[in-house]
């Protein structure tokens, strides 16, 4: 079971804070550092000192880390034109020497679009399908040849399809709860399917849909890797768990029901139950980015048991 650290910087984090967490992620033996792609805080957070851009952040981290994988859960398709996104991600992959992964989604948070003057179209899933075709098509085009695309929303004519990622095949992640279109897109384009903040039962149901869609598309169901994203709140005793829950404005019982919370043994047990229904990777949503002791506890007492 791979454990990855997943951050939500829109809730309030500077680049320096993210760099500190990313370096701790690397030093403590986690597999990857991922971040969300949002510009507006959610809930009661003030978001200070203000948003950071996902791909600018990852470009910096690409040069300041050496081992960990880097990526997004999920890049919002509404924020970037697909041709531009393909260039940005390929460049960051080169900067990291081949450690980048692209999670790409349709975009959903309408308020942040209004706040920063970003169009919020109705047909976001249809646009996402074209975006996936374009980004992957540009990367797959042989050097020296061109790529053209005629879609309802995007048209490319004789693109040189450059630059290329450093990796021969840059992993693409697709995720979500949609029962029909999401599994179909994952079956066609994804290397990994991720379901965020879902119960074991809902995860098993959605994994089954994706596996069936992959087989219907002529792929093996096991060609995709299956993963979950879950909030984490661990502590060496009840008092420490309660303190960490209070620091992120959550209740312990709610976190235990909907995430990974409690003692290291409780968290390991629940991760094992996700593993039993097919998950082989967990993105640990860490909400208090100043609590590096939390990461150390997860590494020494949870990750060590899973590896």
């Amino acid at each position: 079971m791979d454990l990855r650290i997943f951050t939500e910087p829109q809730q309030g984090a500077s680049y320096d804070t993210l760099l500190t967490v990313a370096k701790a992620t690397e030093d403590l033996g986690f597999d990857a550092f991922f971040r969300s792609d949002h510009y507006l805080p959610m809930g009661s957070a003030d978001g200070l000192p203000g948003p950071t851009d996902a791909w600018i952040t990852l470009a910096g981290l690409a040069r300041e880390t050496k081992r960990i994988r880097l990526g997004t859960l999920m890049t919002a398709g509404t924020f970037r034109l697909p041709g531009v996104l393909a260039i940005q991600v390929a460049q960051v992959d080169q900067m990291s020497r081949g450690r980048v992964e692209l999670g790409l989604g349709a975009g959903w948070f309408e308020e942040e679009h209004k706040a920063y003057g970003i169009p919020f179209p109705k047909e976001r899933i249809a646009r996402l399908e074209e975006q996936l075709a374009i980004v992957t098509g540009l990367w797959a085009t042989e050097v020296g040849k061109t790529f053209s695309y005629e879609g309802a929303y995007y048209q490319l004519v004789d693109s040189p399809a450059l630059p290329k990622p450093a990796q021969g095949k840059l992993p693409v992640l697709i995720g979500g709860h949609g029962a029909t279109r999401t599994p179909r897109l994952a079956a066609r384009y994804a290397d990994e399917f991720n379901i965020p903040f879902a119960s074991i039962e809902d995860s098993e149901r959605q994994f089954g849909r994706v596996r069936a869609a992959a087989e219907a598309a002529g792929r093996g169901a096991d060609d995709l890797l299956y993963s979950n994203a879950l909030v984490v709140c661990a502590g060496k005793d009840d008092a420490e768990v309660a303190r960490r829950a209070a620091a992120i404005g959550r209740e312990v019982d709610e976190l235990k029901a909907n995430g990974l919370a409690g003692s290291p043994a409780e968290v390991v047990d629940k991760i094992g139950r996700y593993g039993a229904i097919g998950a082989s990777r967990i993105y640990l949503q860490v909400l208090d980015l100043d609590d590096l002791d939390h990461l150390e506890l997860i590494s020494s007492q949870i990750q060590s048991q899973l590896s």
Side-chain angles (χ1 to χ4, degrees), residues 233-244 252 256 261-264 266 297 301:
C233 181
K236 63 180 183 294
D237 52 37
D238 290 345
E240 191 167 84
V241 174
R243 175 177 64 78
R244 289 197 165 112
V252 172
K256 286 188 176 183
S263 67
E266 288 178 286
L297 175 76
Q301 298 193 37

Side-chain angles (χ1 to χ4, degrees), residues 25-236:
T25 297
E26 186 159 81
D27 292 343
L28 292 169
F30 293 104
D31 181 62
F33 174 95
F34 271 57
R35 59 158 292 163
S36 61
D37 188 16
H38 288 293
Y39 293 130
L40 199 67
M42 301 167 195
S44 60
D46 59 25
L48 293 174
T52 51
D53 181 83
W55 286 100
I56 291 176
T57 297
L58 295 175
L61 298 180
R63 305 302 291 176
E64 299 195 74
T65 58
K66 296 179 180 179
R67 178 188 59 79
I68 51 173
R69 308 288 294 177
L70 301 166
T72 50
L73 284 182
M74 299 283 186
T75 288
T78 47
F79 289 173
R80 299 166 183 86
L81 296 170
V84 175
L85 180 62
I87 292 170
Q88 291 172 323
V89 177
Q91 183 180 2
V92 178
D93 194 50
Q94 291 174 0
M95 293 167 71
S96 72
R97 294 181 174 84
R99 293 184 285 121
V100 162
E101 303 181 11
L102 171 63
L104 184 58
W108 63 269
F109 190 19
E110 186 172 4
E111 287 80 0
E112 70 186 339
H113 293 74
K114 292 178 179 178
Y116 286 97
I118 303 167
F120 190 70
K122 291 182 178 179
E123 296 298 326
R124 294 186 303 284
I125 296 294
R127 288 176 179 269
L128 174 62
E129 185 163 9
E130 292 193 10
Q131 291 160 354
L132 286 162
I134 291 166
V135 170
T136 59
L138 287 167
W139 290 340
T141 299
E142 185 179 334
V143 174
K145 295 186 178 180
T146 61
F147 176 83
S148 296
Y149 184 86
E150 184 66 31
Y153 306 102
Y154 305 100
Q155 298 81 40
L156 287 74
V157 179
D158 294 335
S159 171
L162 297 171
K164 303 300 186 191
Q167 301 172 78
K169 176 68 171 71
L170 191 148
V172 173
L173 290 73
I174 295 174
H177 297 258
T180 304
R181 290 184 293 180
T182 297
R184 179 175 59 81
L185 289 180
R188 183 170 182 182
Y189 294 107
D191 301 285
E192 177 179 339
F193 179 78
N194 176 269
I195 184 165
F197 315 119
S199 68
I200 294 168
E201 295 75 20
D202 288 345
S203 298
E204 184 173 26
R205 187 177 303 112
Q206 187 70 335
F207 289 166
R209 293 182 183 127
V210 175
R211 294 175 72 87
E215 291 175 345
R219 296 180 67 181
D222 292 331
D223 288 350
L224 284 80
L225 185 150
Y226 299 86
S227 63
N228 287 85
L230 295 160
V231 63
V232 64
C233 181
K236 63 180 183 294

Side-chain angles (χ1 to χ4, degrees), residues 14 19-20 41 44 54 112 125 143 152 192 242 254 284 299:
S14 66
L19 174 60
T20 298
S44 60
E112 70 186 339
I125 296 294
V143 174
E192 177 179 339
E254 179 268 323
L284 301 172
S299 173

Side-chain angles (χ1 to χ4, degrees), residues 17 79 152 166 188 203 255 260 270 306:
T17 297
F79 289 173
R188 183 170 182 182
S203 298
L255 287 168
L260 301 170
K270 193 165 186 182
L306 296 169

